[in-house]
Amino acid sequence: MFKRMQSMSMQAVHCFQTVGPNQQNYRAIIAIHNTQLGPALGGCRCLHYAHEQLAFDDAMRLAQGMSYKAALANVPHGGGKAVIILPSQVALKDIDRQFLFSWFGHCVEQLNGQYITAMDVGTQVEDMDVVAKQTCHVASASNIGDPAHSTALGVMAGIQAALDFRFQKQPHSSNVSMKWKRFAVQGLGHVGWRIAERLTELGAHVIAADPDEEKCHQGQALGMQIVPVDEILQQECDVLVPCALGGVIHDENVAQLKCSIIAGSANNQLAHDGIARQLKSRNILYAPDYIINAGGLIFASLCYQGQNNDFYTTPEVIDKKIRQKIEGIYTTLFEVFQQAKSSDRDINDVANELALQRLAGKRQGNNDDENKDKGAVYDAA
Ligand code: NAI
């Protein structure tokens, strides 16, 4: 365990256990990767795990990812993640969520603000409301709201950066129009729907897929072309926008892609690091997921700070700051694309290196306030 922590530069891993109603054993892990830039922020997963080790691996890997994401989004947070291990013999519907999340809130409170929790796979706003009764260190209770809108805005900024880089090479000089461009959107959920709807409004040709027929009908009514879920990745398009699952681009399908750019919200889109190199050799521009989908983190971070009166006073001020930081996703991505091209390296390598530089507190180049808010890569917060 300590070896693994060391190899990932993990700061701390906290373990909690309790016995709940009906003598059920509950266990929780809170992994804190790095608090160099601020208290660790990251969601809480609540799942059954086949082995305890898988839960530790999940918590640590995700906490590390959050550190990188926060560093490149230029928010004053480190990376953390919580995992609640559900007892294997208890079905999800039989879990006493009131008890469970009350206890989990107490665990978070014990860390004195070093870790701020939020929603993730297997948790909902109602659970976070229960957590909020035990601790103020929670960033997605119902008083804060759904981050999907901010995530979608960030993805739109990232798509613009990728189009500008691919077709024009100069940041923001005059944005490449999305009108008539072809987009293939995988998943019409909270984030994917907002992106597909906006692209349609902008006059783009939107091809979309989702197993949910109702969502497909709604998309069709707006003018989207709906295709079966197993055909969306092979669509001929300018931009493939994965907004459903992780690991969707893998060794078996990378050669079949017919897109020029991949830019979507899904976490861990590439099955493994080698895929980034294959995309590079196929001249497909990939926007690293943890940069382009940081809008939700930016939203959670600033709302949390506003709620706790750290920096900002009114909702309008917070909203403005959120929008500025989300715009920074454009700048950060453009810089990463440029650096990858000039150094002939794959994009993930460059993005990871930048994140590590920020975590190490290195500053490069300009650091005036305006650029700091916009999250430019040369201004490491
Ligand atoms: P969601 O659960 O609302 O939407 C996912 C959609 O994908 C659903 O409509 C589902 O029916 C569809 N789907 C499932 N399998 C599919 C398949 N094989 N082909 C096509 N569609 C399929 O999730 P949400 O919130 O929209 O998130 C989407 C992705 O973005 C997830 O990977 C999530 O982890 C990531 N993300 C979301 C953020 C947020 O603010 N909601 C923030 C950062 C990342």
Side-chain angles (χ1 to χ4, degrees):
M1 180 68 176
F2 283 108
K3 246 188 182 161
R4 177 115 171 88
M5 283 178 69
Q6 199 177 7
S7 75
M8 298 176 80
S9 308
M10 190 68 50
Q11 201 169 297
V13 179
H14 300 270
C15 301
F16 303 86
Q17 64 85 34
T18 191
V19 178
N22 305 322
Q23 299 304 300
Q24 295 158 355
N25 288 311
Y26 289 104
R27 292 176 183 147
I29 301 162
I30 298 179
I32 297 181
H33 178 255
N34 192 307
T35 52
Q36 183 84 9
L37 302 176
L41 172 59
C44 167
R45 293 197 160 182
C46 178
L47 299 170
H48 287 109
Y49 283 90
H51 305 287
E52 217 171 81
Q53 193 54 44
L54 292 176
F56 277 103
D57 286 349
D58 220 12
M60 290 197 284
R61 185 179 51 83
L62 293 163
Q64 186 186 40
M66 289 304 294
S67 279
Y68 288 23
K69 191 190 273 206
L72 289 182
N74 206 5
V75 292
H77 285 291
K81 209 83 179 182
V83 159
I84 297 177
I85 309 174
L86 293 176
S88 55
Q89 69 282 13
V90 184
L92 210 54
K93 66 175 175 45
D94 297 327
I95 303 289
D96 182 340
R97 297 188 87 86
Q98 187 68 34
F99 167 82
L100 183 59
F101 286 96
S102 202
W103 167 71
F104 176 68
H106 187 63
C107 300
V108 172
E109 179 62 14
Q110 284 177 53
L111 299 181
N112 289 319
Q114 262 196 81
Y115 167 68
I116 300 153
T117 197
M119 253 163 63
D120 204 303
V121 179
T123 53
Q124 330 160 14
V125 177
E126 294 76 30
D127 300 328
M128 293 302 128
D129 286 342
V130 178
V131 170
K133 289 191 180 134
Q134 302 299 327
T135 180
C136 64
H137 306 301
V138 50
S140 56
S142 51
N143 60 338
I144 286 188
D146 187 353
H149 174 68
S150 298
T151 305
L153 275 180
V155 174
M156 287 300 292
I159 289 174
Q160 189 67 65
L163 286 170
D164 290 356
F165 182 78
R166 171 111 304 175
F167 295 113
Q168 156 180 288
K169 314 287 180 207
Q170 288 300 319
H172 276 315
S173 52
S174 88
N175 290 143
V176 170
S177 169
M178 297 193 191
K179 197 171 182 182
W180 310 122
K181 291 260 180 312
R182 287 172 68 87
F183 294 83
V185 181
Q186 183 187 42
L188 292 173
H190 289 92
V191 181
W193 174 263
R194 287 172 163 92
I195 294 168
E197 188 180 40
R198 183 70 188 127
L199 290 169
T200 308
E201 282 166 12
L202 292 172
H205 180 92
V206 177
I207 310 158
D210 196 296
D212 184 328
E213 283 186 17
E214 180 56 33
K215 288 175 182 163
C216 292
H217 284 139
Q218 289 171 4
Q220 221 157 13
L222 283 188
M224 296 173 203
Q225 177 192 344
I226 302 296
V227 297
V229 289
D230 55 357
E231 291 178 15
I232 189 73
L233 296 173
Q234 296 83 37
Q235 293 299 313
E236 198 153 341
C237 59
D238 296 292
V239 189
L240 176 64
V241 191
C243 294
L245 318 161
V248 286
I249 316 290
H250 47 72
D251 289 312
E252 282 71 46
N253 65 12
V254 66
Q256 274 106 53
L257 298 174
K258 299 190 191 83
C259 55
S260 172
I261 291 165
I262 301 177
S265 73
N267 279 314
N268 305 318
Q269 291 165 34
L270 309 188
H272 59 81
D273 285 345
I275 302 286
R277 289 186 283 280
Q278 294 185 55
L279 292 174
K280 178 174 178 290
S281 70
R282 293 207 53 217
N283 198 25
I284 296 175
L285 184 63
Y286 168 65
D289 42 28
Y290 67 82
I291 303 180
I292 194 169
N293 73 14
L297 169 68
I298 291 169
F299 172 85
S301 166
L302 279 118
C303 289
Y304 175 81
Q305 291 170 58
Q307 179 183 266
N308 289 281
N309 293 324
D310 283 358
F311 300 124
Y312 313 115
T313 46
T314 66
E316 292 72 30
V317 173
I318 294 168
D319 204 47
K320 190 167 163 228
K321 291 272 174 194
I322 290 172
R323 282 182 179 270
Q324 279 176 339
K325 284 225 184 271
I326 287 175
E327 276 173 35
I329 291 175
Y330 177 104
T331 320
T332 302
L333 270 176
F334 207 96
E335 285 279 339
V336 169
F337 294 148
Q338 279 179 322
Q339 283 197 25
K341 185 161 190 235
S342 61
S343 58
D344 195 28
R345 291 159 64 202
D346 86 56
I347 274 167
N348 272 355
D349 271 358
V350 172
N352 289 344
E353 188 181 277
L354 276 166
L356 286 170
Q357 281 173 0
R358 289 193 178 192
L359 288 175
K362 285 187 192 158
R363 286 179 168 261
Q364 296 176 359
N366 195 337
N367 68 348
D368 61 73
D369 275 353
E370 190 189 343
N371 281 326
K372 198 157 110 187
D373 280 341
K374 289 186 173 175
V377 281
Y378 41 78
D379 179 29

